[in-house]
């Protein structure tokens, strides 16, 4: 397989075959994100991707799931995605799900009919990094999307029958915007109707603009106690009308929680309260990672 640079995938795609259909991220300006800063964005040709799929077929007898990388592969045109999904069906008839990272604006650029075509062609889940429900936090981190964009995009994909997994980053508002970040994130979780929500905890890589802000004192990171307080606020403001699986199983988190909102909210809150007084429940800092 020809992989270019570091390749990232969601935790739940650990066993999937990863195919790079784009290189890098078409946005690539979020101040906290080091993932694709060393890559110049480009779309891979159908021929290149097709050759990778054929090569993978030769070495893998059974492929249940495929993940299209890199950062926002859903930016591809619907025609291109349909061709790629068609190639997957032809080469891996046993594959039950193709998944992809996408930004809200990638979804909003597709019509409802296009989203349904993608679902019918095998697109089984979209991973969207919302990061925060706060308009001010999104503005400060240069996400270039509003909470309204994100809510609308998630609702449209879910209504077209494509489940969406949305990630948020604990601590992204820093100390100054902690409360706003938590309350507005809880509200976004309530309104958008995503099938899955994943929580990460802010970790900063050297060289990112946000890390420079920490060094200069412009941005104050949360302590672990504050991260737990923020999580409590998110859960208290998440009032989902349909079932939403929520988990914090990413390597960046110190507390792992997993449940389904709204039913498990009290249990998850009890877990957070217990962790506030019991450090043994927390993953040691040295075992955290991006
Ligand atoms: S957070 Fe997502 S959209 Fe922003 S630069 Fe990183 S990969 Fe691109």
């Amino acid at each position: 397989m020809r992989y270019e640079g570091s390749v990232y995938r969601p935790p739940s795609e650990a066993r999937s075959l990863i195919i790079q259909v784009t290189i890098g991220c078409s946005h690539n300006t979020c101040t906290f994100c080091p993932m694709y800063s060393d890559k110049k964005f480009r779309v891979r040709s159908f021929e290149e991707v097709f050759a990778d799929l054929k090569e993978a077929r030769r070495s893998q007898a059974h492929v249940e799931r495929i993940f299209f990388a890199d950062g926002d592969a859903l930016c591809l045109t619907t025609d291109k995605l349909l061709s790629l999904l068609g190639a997957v069906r032809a080469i891996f008839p046993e594959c039950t799900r193709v998944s992809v990272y996408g930004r809200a604006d990638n979804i909003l650029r597709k019509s409802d009919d296009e989203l349904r075509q993608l679902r019918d062609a095998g697109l089984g889940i979209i991973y969207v990094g919302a990061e925060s429900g706060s308009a001010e936090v999104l503005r400060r981190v240069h996400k270039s999307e509003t909470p309204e964009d994100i809510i609308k995009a998630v609702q449209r994909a879910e209504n077209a029958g494509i489940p969406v997994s949305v990630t948020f980053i604990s601590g992204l508002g820093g100390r100054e915007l902690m409360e706003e970040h938590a309350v507005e994130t809880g509200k976004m979780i309530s309104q958008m109707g995503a099938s899955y929500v994943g929580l990460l905890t802010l970790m900063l890589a050297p060289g990112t603009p946000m890390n420079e802000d920490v060094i200069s004192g412009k941005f104050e990171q949360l302590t672990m106690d504050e991260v737990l307080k923020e999580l409590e606020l998110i859960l208290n403001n998440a009032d989902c009308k349909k079932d939403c699986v929520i988990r914090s199983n990413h390597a960046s988190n110190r507390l792992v929680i997993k449940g389904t909102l709204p039913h498990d909210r009290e249990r998850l809150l009890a877990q957070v309260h217990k962790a506030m007084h019991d450090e043994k429940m927390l993953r040691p800092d040295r075992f955290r990672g991006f």
Side-chain angles (χ1 to χ4, degrees):
M1 294 294 300
R2 292 169 296 177
Y3 289 122
E4 287 188 31
S6 305
V7 178
Y8 298 89
R9 46 115 187 114
S12 45
E13 299 293 334
R15 302 164 83 105
S16 305
L17 169 64
I18 299 179
I19 299 288
Q20 281 177 302
V21 301
T22 57
I23 303 296
C25 166
S26 71
H27 180 60
N28 214 15
T29 57
C30 299
T31 61
F32 57 88
C33 178
M35 295 202 299
Y36 306 105
S37 53
D38 59 339
K39 293 182 183 177
K40 187 168 167 10
F41 176 77
R42 73 178 172 86
V43 173
R44 292 185 81 206
S45 70
F46 178 83
E47 291 69 28
E48 272 182 85
V49 178
F50 191 76
D52 278 0
L53 289 169
K54 296 284 270 187
E55 189 186 332
R57 176 77 293 175
R58 282 193 286 277
S59 60
Q60 302 197 35
H62 186 84
V63 172
E64 190 89 22
R65 292 181 172 183
I66 292 180
F67 176 69
F68 283 168
D70 272 340
D72 63 338
L74 196 65
C75 70
L76 294 179
T77 62
T78 301
D79 282 350
K80 178 88 183 260
L81 283 165
L82 288 173
S83 303
L84 294 170
L85 290 165
V88 166
R89 279 231 163 121
I91 298 171
F92 297 95
E94 76 278 22
C95 177
T96 57
R97 185 176 93 175
V98 177
S99 54
V100 68
Y101 276 140
R103 283 171 49 83
D105 58 7
N106 303 152
I107 298 173
L108 294 177
R109 262 187 241 116
K110 301 192 188 311
S111 68
D112 291 343
D113 189 48
E114 288 177 304
L115 290 170
R116 282 191 292 269
Q117 286 180 50
L118 291 169
R119 175 205 62 197
D120 293 345
L123 184 61
I125 188 165
I126 302 172
Y127 295 94
V128 171
E131 331 303 0
S132 176
S134 154
E136 180 58 14
V137 173
L138 293 177
R139 190 189 67 75
R140 290 192 190 186
V141 303
H142 298 180
K143 190 76 190 173
S144 303
E145 292 178 330
T146 65
E148 292 75 23
D149 293 335
I150 297 166
I151 291 168
K152 193 169 167 203
V154 173
Q155 289 175 342
R156 286 199 42 227
E158 289 274 351
N159 287 340
I162 307 175
V164 185
S165 177
V166 185
T167 50
F168 295 91
I169 304 178
S170 292
L172 194 65
R175 192 160 288 139
E176 187 189 345
L177 294 181
M178 172 186 145
E179 191 167 334
E180 175 175 334
H181 172 59
V183 171
E184 296 304 319
T185 293
K187 286 188 194 166
M188 184 182 275
I189 293 170
S190 314
Q191 290 171 36
M192 66 186 175
S195 296
Y196 305 94
V197 161
L199 300 170
L200 285 66
T201 304
L202 184 66
M203 291 185 76
L204 290 171
T208 53
M210 190 175 264
N211 196 53
E212 296 304 310
D213 286 346
V214 171
I215 292 167
S216 69
K218 203 170 144 197
F219 183 88
E220 285 183 285
Q221 285 190 274
L222 301 189
T223 62
M224 191 57 217
D225 286 349
E226 288 167 329
V227 168
L228 292 173
K229 187 83 200 137
E230 189 182 83
L231 180 54
E232 180 191 30
L233 263 178
I234 292 173
L235 290 171
N236 273 327
N237 283 278
D239 184 18
C240 299
K241 301 290 176 268
K242 67 169 238 201
D243 283 3
C244 170
V245 174
I246 183 165
R247 52 197 163 201
S248 65
N249 58 346
H250 189 263
S252 61
N253 294 309
R254 292 196 63 197
L255 177 66
V256 175
I257 60 166
K258 183 175 177 201
T260 303
L261 296 174
H263 315 288
D264 296 331
R265 185 159 71 166
E266 294 312 313
R267 176 179 64 78
L268 297 175
L269 277 167
Q271 213 178 325
V272 174
H273 293 150
K274 196 164 175 226
M276 286 171 171
H277 306 285
D278 183 1
E279 203 167 320
K280 287 198 291 300
M281 289 175 67
L282 304 177
R283 176 187 280 144
D285 244 334
R286 65 183 185 281
F287 294 135
R288 294 174 68 210
F290 287 105

